[in-house]
Amino acid sequence: MTTALDTLLELTDRVQTAIDAGDWQQANELESERRAQLERLVAEQTALDIRSVCEALAQRTHRLIGLVEHHRRRVLREATTVTAGHAAAARYVENR
């Protein structure tokens, strides 16, 4: 079980690294792999044996979701700024 948990924790770290780097495709692929690993682990163990690990993973997952939301809002803000800049530049060209 320790090896499976170590693998799961390593995948969680790799998902976070991909999110931090803005590599959304890689983060998605790693998250799918992480989810499959977690499902295998839960199927192999009783709920009481892995309760504390699951709670720790749940906390880390919530933190990752928060990071993704933060990045999503940042990208939306940047897109809005770019759109406004393009519109302003177009108006400038029209009024010259």
Side-chain angles (χ1 to χ4, degrees):
M1 182 167 96
T2 302
T3 303
L5 291 176
D6 291 339
T7 300
L8 192 54
L9 292 171
E10 178 197 347
L11 283 168
T12 302
D13 290 339
R14 290 174 60 198
V15 169
Q16 182 166 358
T17 299
I19 289 170
D20 291 343
D23 188 347
W24 305 112
Q25 181 65 33
Q26 179 72 12
N28 187 47
E29 291 170 8
L30 289 168
E31 176 56 24
S32 294
E33 185 179 345
R34 184 175 94 85
R35 186 176 303 128
Q37 179 73 23
L38 181 58
E39 288 171 0
R40 279 192 299 275
L41 179 66
V42 170
E44 294 170 359
Q45 303 298 318
T46 65
L48 293 177
D49 289 342
I50 61 170
R51 182 180 186 105
S52 64
V53 172
C54 286
E55 288 172 355
L57 282 171
Q59 290 174 353
R60 291 181 75 177
T61 298
H62 290 299
R63 194 168 43 248
L64 289 174
I65 290 169
L67 282 170
V68 169
E69 271 302 304
H70 170 73
H71 287 291
R72 185 184 72 80
R73 286 190 304 269
R74 180 185 51 81
V75 168
L76 288 174
R77 280 192 309 272
E78 289 173 1
T80 300
T81 300
V82 169
T83 301
H86 284 201
R91 284 192 303 274
Y92 175 79
V93 169
E94 287 174 8
N95 291 325
R96 283 189 347 153

